[in-house]
Each structure stands twice: as C-alpha cells, then as structure tokens.
Amino acid sequence: MLLRLLLLLFAPTGIQSDWLSIDMPRYAYEGDEVVVRCSGEDNGKIRKLMYYKDQHLIATYHDASRHTISNAKISDSGSYYCKTERKKFWFIYVTEESSTGWLTVHELFPAPSLRVSSSQPTEGMSVTLSCDTRLPSERSNTELHYSFFRGGHTLQSGWRSSFQMSAIWKEDSGDYWCKAMTALHTVSRSSSQSHITVHRVPVSGAVLETQPQGAWAFKGKTLVFVCSVVEGTGDTTFSWYRENTKESLGRKNGRFQRAELETPEINESHAGSYYCTADNGYGLVRSATLNITVKIPVSQPVLTSSAPRNQAFAGDLLELRCEDKRASPPVLYWFYHGNVTLGNVSVPFGGAASFILSLTIEHSGNYSCEAENGLRSQSSETITLNVKEPPPKIRLMYGAHRCEGRVEVEQEGRWGTVCDDGWDMKDVAVVCRELGCGAAKHTPAGMIYLPEAEEDQPVFIQVALCNGTEKALAECEQIETFDCGHNEDAGAVCETFLPSSYKDTRSRHVADLSDSRAPDGPTVFPPL
Ligand SMILES: *[C@@H]1O[C@H](CO)[C@@H](O)[C@H](O)[C@H]1NC(C)=O
Ligand SMILES: *[C@@H]1O[C@H](CO)[C@@H](O)[C@H](O)[C@H]1NC(C)=O
Ligand SMILES: *[C@@H]1O[C@H](CO)[C@@H](O)[C@H](O)[C@H]1NC(C)=O
Ligand SMILES: *[C@@H]1O[C@H](CO)[C@@H](O)[C@H](O)[C@H]1NC(C)=O
Ligand SMILES: *[C@@H]1O[C@H](CO)[C@@H](O)[C@H](O)[C@H]1NC(C)=O
Ligand SMILES: *[C@@H]1O[C@H](CO)[C@@H](O)[C@H](O)[C@H]1NC(C)=O
C-alpha cells in the first residue's frame, strides 16, 4: 500500500500523450445515444480508464470500455477526456491522458405551441387544437407523440398532432395545453397553457307547437307538443305546462333547441291552454299560449241519394248527401263517381254535405264520398246508381191493346187529355213513335174508349201541330188558345207488334213509372 502510494506520487500525472486517444461525435441531438470511446495503443495494458467531463470524473472502468450516454441531454454538452494508468516497467505506472473532445447536444425540437382554432368559441362550435413544433431537417423523420390536456385531464394521446372537439360546450372552458415527445419519451416538451372561454347564447324565442300541426288534437290519437327556441345554446331545460292549473306536464333537458313531449290517447279532458318554457341558465323564457281543441276524427261517412232504391231517370235532379255524424266540424267532403272526383263541399259547422247532379244516362255507376277533418280521410261505402231514360209521358187508354186508345199526357204527375182540334195522322205518327208502337193507322175520337175521361181531368194540349218527325208529342208545336172539353178528346190507333216480339224495355220503364211515380194510376197494360 505504501509502495503503491509512493509510486503514484512519483509517477508524472496528467500527461497528455498520443498513447490514449478519444473518439466521439462533435454534435448530437437530445435523446441520441452518444458513445465516447477512449483507447490506448495497447488496450491490454489498461487496467483503469476514467472518463471526465468538464474536469469532473464521470465514470471509471477497469478495462478499455467505452462510455455511453444513452439519452443525450443539452447538459451533456461539454468537454470530455480520459485518463488511464498504464504499467511502464514492472513496478512503474504512468498516467496517460487523452486529448479533449467537445460535444454539443442540440435541442431536438422546441417546446410546442398550442394553436386553438378559436379561443372564444360559442357553444356548439367545433374547435381544433394543434400542437405545433418543428424537427431539424436531419431528424425530420423522427416520430413524435402528442398529448392534449385540459388542466390535469388528458384529452387525447397519440400520433395525431391535432385534437378536434366537434362541438364545444361551456363546461369545456378551461386551460388547455399539449405535450410533444419522442416515441420512447426520451425527449418531452410541453406547451404553455391557452385559456378557452366558451360562450353560451341565452335562449330566446320559445314557441309551442303541436304535431300534427294546428291547434287541435284528435280524440284517441297521439298529440306531440313541440317546444323550440329560436336561439340558445348548451344545456337547456324545456318544460310544458297547462295554463289554468300551472301543472307541469313534463320536462326535458339536453343540448338541443327543440324538444318533444308526447301525449298518447287524447281525450276531451286534454282540451285547454298550454305553454312551454326553456331555460339554459340565463333566465327562463316562456312561449305564447296555445289553445288546444279536441276533435273527434272522421270514422266512416254515410252516403245517401235522393233517388229511391238509387233508381233515377235522365233529366232528374239527384241529391247526394254525405255525412259523418260524430266527426267534429269543420269537415270537408268529397264526392266521387267511380274514381272521378265530382267536387268537394266544406261543412264548417256540422251537418251533411249535399251535392246536386242533373242526371244523364252517363251518371249511372258507383258513387262514394270521403270525409276529412284534419287527420286522414275516410270513405263511405259505395252506392250504385242506375240512371234510365225517362219513361214516355204519354199513354193510350182503354183501347184493344197498348197501341190504341184515348191519348193522355202527363204533366207534373197528373194525366190529362189532348183536344182533337187539328188532330191528324202526323200527330198520331208522333204518338206511335213515342210509345214504340208501329205505324199510325187512325185518328179516332177519344170518346169511343170507355170509360170516358174523368170530369176533373185537365185537357193539357189544345192543338198539336206536329210535322210528323218529332220523337215525342211534347216536342210538337202547340197552340193554346182554344178551350176544349172531354167530348173533343183525341184518340190514336197504331200498328202493334206481336207481344212475343215486343220484349221492350220501355214497357218495363212504364211499369217502373207506375210503381214509383203514379202508384194509384190506371193499369197501363191492357190484358192481351
Ligand atoms: C283522459 O285521459 C286522461 C289521461 O290520459 C285520463 O286520466 C282520463 O281518465 C281520461 N278521461 C276520459 C274521459 O277518458
Ligand atoms: C285561449 O283560450 C283562453 C280562454 O280559454 C282565451 O282567453 C285566450 O284568448 C285564448 N288564446 C288564444 C291564443 O286563442
Ligand atoms: C279510373 O278507372 C278507369 C278504369 O276503371 C281507368 O281507366 C282510369 O284511368 C281511372 N282514372 C283515374 C283518374 O284514376
Ligand atoms: C274543392 O273544390 C274546389 C273547386 O270547387 C277546388 O278549387 C278546391 O281546390 C277543392 N279543395 C280541395 C281541398 O280539394
Ligand atoms: C260498381 O261496384 C260494384 C261492386 O261494388 C262492381 O261490381 C261494379 O263493377 C262497379 N261498377 C262500375 C261501373 O264500376
Ligand atoms: C219538325 O219539327 C221539329 C221540331 O219542332 C223540327 O226540328 C224539324 O225541323 C221539323 N221538320 C220539318 C220537316 O219541318
């Protein structure tokens, strides 16, 4: 021990020689691995190798090991050298010193700055945070990792250098910052904090509406109360009330400008005044009052026609009536012939809708009506109307067959006679044609057909001036100046056809006529 101390004392120290050399990079970036290598002319002779930085011993090895700085820092910049003791003679040791190497460790990237797309956004806006920093061009492919924070709370961590909040809320106000770091977290820097103040827009313009729209509800149906505000952001509380009782019907809360309250199975007790309120913390706003009327929806309207058994004649006026007695007015009715709309009638205060048709043969067919009072429309059952040509308004009474006899014509439901003044074959021809008989044969006096006309039967036609081509006696020109009695009643004889060949619908029309129009009238068919 003493000997060794002596030797060391004698040995020349701090001798810089070429024997020990230092090998190290001049520059490095933070986080790099920096190797400082000291080696001698004969490494086998090194039994102790000491590394110094800025004159301070930083490491000692017992062989020719290199010194590794695994994660370089700025503070690792400085001057480096080594010392070793080598055995010169069998007992003499010499201290060798390397030359000095200079290391400069550069910053890998500066502290990031947090860029905020809007530092005073309004609620609901989208806000993007970007963590900006820059790598030297030699290290541009270094992958950085980014974290975003609000206060002490991590919002996002990963490779993305931006963080998007698709909608920001008042509660999100606060100090935001970010951190950029290398993959192994060897280098890590944080931005300074940026304060974000999120503005809330107070609610305004509250409106209460219903769905379906309109100030009415249908019994048995669902009514939806919709409360909305024109402006207002953030957490809003919507409430619905009945005005008279101030009773709350419901409440909804959320980040929306419109909320719905559903009321199923509406009944009469739901009629009344309603309003809603909205509040997002800056004072409550109230909607106007909405008065709700409860209506009974249409069920099925009933369609009727003025024609008995829905049989009618061309030329008649027909009234169609459509009504849904229970439905609340106003009710709108539509009338249909087959699939063709005839028209619509609005009934504002209840009752039946009426539609008048002036009938032609083409009006035969199926009719229906539809009623609607705000909800869906409902159809009646179909009625089938049969429109026929009107029966002839002429008959031959008490002849041998239906094509012979005293001429009688009908006016307004009464049967009267025709005066024979000027009565000729042309007139008879028209009568025969109108009755669907054969050719005119004679112009007999009406009196021969018994019994005679009743005393109180009128004489409807004084003088008929037919030219012979008319289809009916009523079409002939008439003169009304004479005053005839029943002793001047006209008669007519037409050819007739065999009954078997005369299966004429017209006779059935006549029969219908006697059924429906002159139930007490005389028999039209003389027995054959
Ligand atoms: C109407 O509806 C309310 C609530 O749905 C119910 O309490 C009430 O009994 C109903 N009234 C009638 C008359 O049906
Ligand atoms: C609603 O009805 C009340 C009475 O029930 C009436 O005083 C008020 O004027 C009505 N409001 C509207 C908007 O029709
Ligand atoms: C009505 O029905 C007829 C046949 O039934 C059809 O030819 C016609 O196109 C329909 N018209 C309309 C307007 O639907
Ligand atoms: C009702 O009929 C009238 C014509 O008579 C027409 O102008 C109107 O559009 C119809 N209304 C509806 C609701 O169809
Ligand atoms: C009327 O309706 C009946 C069934 O109700 C149908 O058989 C008939 O073909 C319809 N007539 C016309 C003209 O559409
Ligand atoms: C006969 O009378 C009818 C009806 O008045 C008229 O249309 C027709 O032209 C007349 N014919 C002759 C030949 O005068």
Side-chain angles (χ1 to χ4, degrees):
M1 184 70 194
L2 181 65
L3 178 67
R4 184 167 165 82
L5 188 64
L6 283 172
L7 284 172
L8 279 175
L9 282 173
F10 281 105
T13 55
I15 293 183
Q16 196 182 326
S17 71
D18 290 341
W19 196 87
L20 191 62
S21 60
I22 187 163
D23 178 21
M24 62 183 291
R26 284 186 61 78
Y27 302 103
Y29 283 101
E30 286 175 290
D32 285 356
E33 184 182 86
V34 176
V35 175
V36 184
R37 181 197 292 271
C38 284
S39 51
E41 279 169 10
D42 180 358
N43 284 339
K45 291 188 171 163
I46 294 177
R47 288 195 302 127
K48 191 176 182 188
L49 183 61
M50 292 159 289
Y51 285 86
Y52 292 81
K53 172 177 179 265
D54 299 334
Q55 267 84 57
H56 296 290
L57 178 66
I58 54 169
T60 304
Y61 299 95
H62 295 287
D63 57 10
S65 285
R66 56 199 186 165
H67 178 66
T68 303
I69 303 165
S70 56
N71 174 15
K73 302 205 168 20
I74 303 281
S75 57
D76 291 322
S77 299
S79 58
Y80 287 82
Y81 67 90
C82 306
K83 281 185 189 172
T84 189
E85 280 171 25
R86 91 175 149 98
K87 191 176 180 182
K88 196 147 188 177
F89 307 111
W90 65 272
F91 63 95
I92 299 187
Y93 286 84
V94 199
T95 300
E96 300 282 0
E97 189 176 323
S98 71
S99 57
T100 301
W102 295 91
L103 175 68
T104 307
V105 179
H106 294 288
E107 188 179 73
L108 182 62
F109 55 86
S113 63
L114 183 70
R115 198 153 42 85
V116 182
S117 62
S118 169
S119 64
Q120 301 210 326
T122 299
E123 277 189 311
M125 273 175 58
S126 146
V127 171
T128 304
L129 306 181
S130 308
C131 199
D132 293 343
T133 186
R134 152 187 96 247
L135 287 164
S137 53
E138 301 99 298
R139 296 301 170 90
S140 58
N141 52 2
T142 304
E143 283 186 326
L144 293 181
H145 192 101
Y146 301 90
S147 293
F148 292 86
F149 304 89
R150 183 180 67 239
H153 174 67
T154 307
L155 304 169
Q156 177 183 290
S157 245
W159 300 113
R160 297 219 313 275
S161 65
S162 68
F163 171 60
Q164 194 186 5
M165 288 176 275
S166 55
I168 197 162
W169 304 103
K170 195 160 183 280
E171 301 74 59
D172 298 324
S173 295
D175 291 319
Y176 287 76
W177 55 283
C178 72
K179 196 151 102 179
M181 63 211 106
T182 53
L184 296 172
H185 297 201
T186 48
V187 186
S188 162
R189 291 212 160 80
S190 298
S191 72
S192 56
Q193 298 200 337
S194 295
H195 192 77
I196 298 182
T197 307
V198 184
H199 292 279
R200 172 161 292 178
V201 177
V203 286
S204 62
V207 177
L208 177 64
E209 289 166 308
T210 54
Q211 264 179 3
Q213 274 197 323
W216 58 76
F218 282 97
K219 184 176 168 150
K221 304 291 170 198
T222 295
L223 180 68
V224 179
F225 287 101
V226 181
C227 192
S228 59
V229 290
V230 174
E231 274 197 325
T233 58
D235 241 12
T236 306
T237 302
F238 292 90
S239 304
W240 290 264
Y241 299 92
R242 284 198 78 138
E243 185 155 65
N244 51 351
T245 58
K246 303 278 181 273
E247 167 203 359
S248 170
L249 305 171
R251 166 186 286 254
K252 285 202 179 158
N253 181 268
R255 285 168 179 159
F256 29 74
Q257 292 194 319
R258 179 182 186 283
E260 295 185 352
L261 178 75
E262 205 174 276
T263 313
E265 285 286 321
I266 288 292
N267 66 35
E268 289 82 348
S269 74
H270 291 102
S273 306
Y274 294 83
Y275 66 89
C276 73
T277 62
D279 187 359
N280 69 353
Y282 287 84
L284 180 137
V285 294
R286 198 200 126 135
S287 75
T289 299
L290 181 64
N291 287 353
I292 297 289
T293 311
V294 174
K295 282 196 184 189
I296 299 173
V298 292
S299 46
Q300 192 182 31
V302 175
L303 178 67
T304 52
S305 88
S306 59
R309 300 192 309 282
N310 298 322
Q311 307 285 321
F313 296 106
D316 287 351
L317 288 180
L318 177 84
E319 184 187 19
L320 294 171
R321 287 167 72 84
C322 187
E323 183 170 20
D324 184 329
K325 285 201 167 71
R326 294 188 56 234
S328 304
V331 183
L332 186 60
Y333 291 95
W334 279 272
F335 291 89
Y336 296 94
H337 180 206
N339 57 6
V340 178
T341 309
L342 297 171
N344 65 64
V345 177
S346 167
V347 177
F349 307 109
S354 150
F355 195 82
I356 309 282
L357 283 172
S358 175
L359 293 179
T360 64
I361 292 292
E362 287 71 39
H363 282 108
S364 284
N366 292 338
Y367 288 81
S368 62
C369 69
E370 225 170 78
E372 192 257 353
N373 68 348
L375 210 58
R376 64 188 185 281
S377 60
Q378 297 282 314
S379 295
S380 70
E381 282 179 358
T382 297
I383 63 174
T384 303
L385 184 70
N386 187 8
V387 183
K388 297 184 283 193
E389 284 292 1
K393 297 201 167 191
I394 189 163
R395 64 189 185 186
L396 297 177
M397 300 299 290
Y398 308 118
H401 49 75
R402 71 172 204 95
C403 292
E404 173 182 359
R406 183 173 65 242
V407 182
E408 286 192 10
V409 293
E410 191 236 59
Q411 281 180 14
E412 290 159 1
R414 294 186 72 197
W415 288 95
T417 59
V418 177
C419 181
D420 68 358
D421 286 345
W423 187 251
D424 61 13
M425 286 295 279
K426 286 190 265 185
D427 303 315
V428 175
V430 173
V431 172
C432 296
R433 179 176 302 116
E434 186 171 3
L435 285 170
C437 297
K441 283 173 73 183
H442 299 295
T443 58
M447 276 176 66
I448 66 169
Y449 300 106
L450 297 174
E452 288 179 33
E454 303 281 330
E455 216 32 58
D456 63 349
Q457 260 190 285
V459 178
F460 279 142
I461 298 177
Q462 305 295 338
V463 179
L465 296 173
C466 301
N467 64 22
T469 64
E470 293 90 344
K471 287 203 189 68
L473 193 58
E475 291 174 18
C476 298
E477 208 178 304
Q478 291 179 28
I479 300 176
E480 290 198 45
T481 49
F482 300 90
D483 186 19
C484 294
H486 285 308
N487 58 342
E488 291 178 277
D489 283 347
V493 180
C494 313
E495 279 178 348
T496 186
F497 299 101
L498 287 174
S500 59
S501 67
Y502 190 71
K503 289 205 167 130
D504 183 13
T505 52
R506 296 182 76 95
S507 64
R508 267 178 261 132
H509 289 183
V510 175
D512 285 353
L513 172 75
S514 62
D515 276 1
S516 65
R517 302 233 160 167
D520 302 324
T523 311
V524 174
F525 289 98
L528 277 175

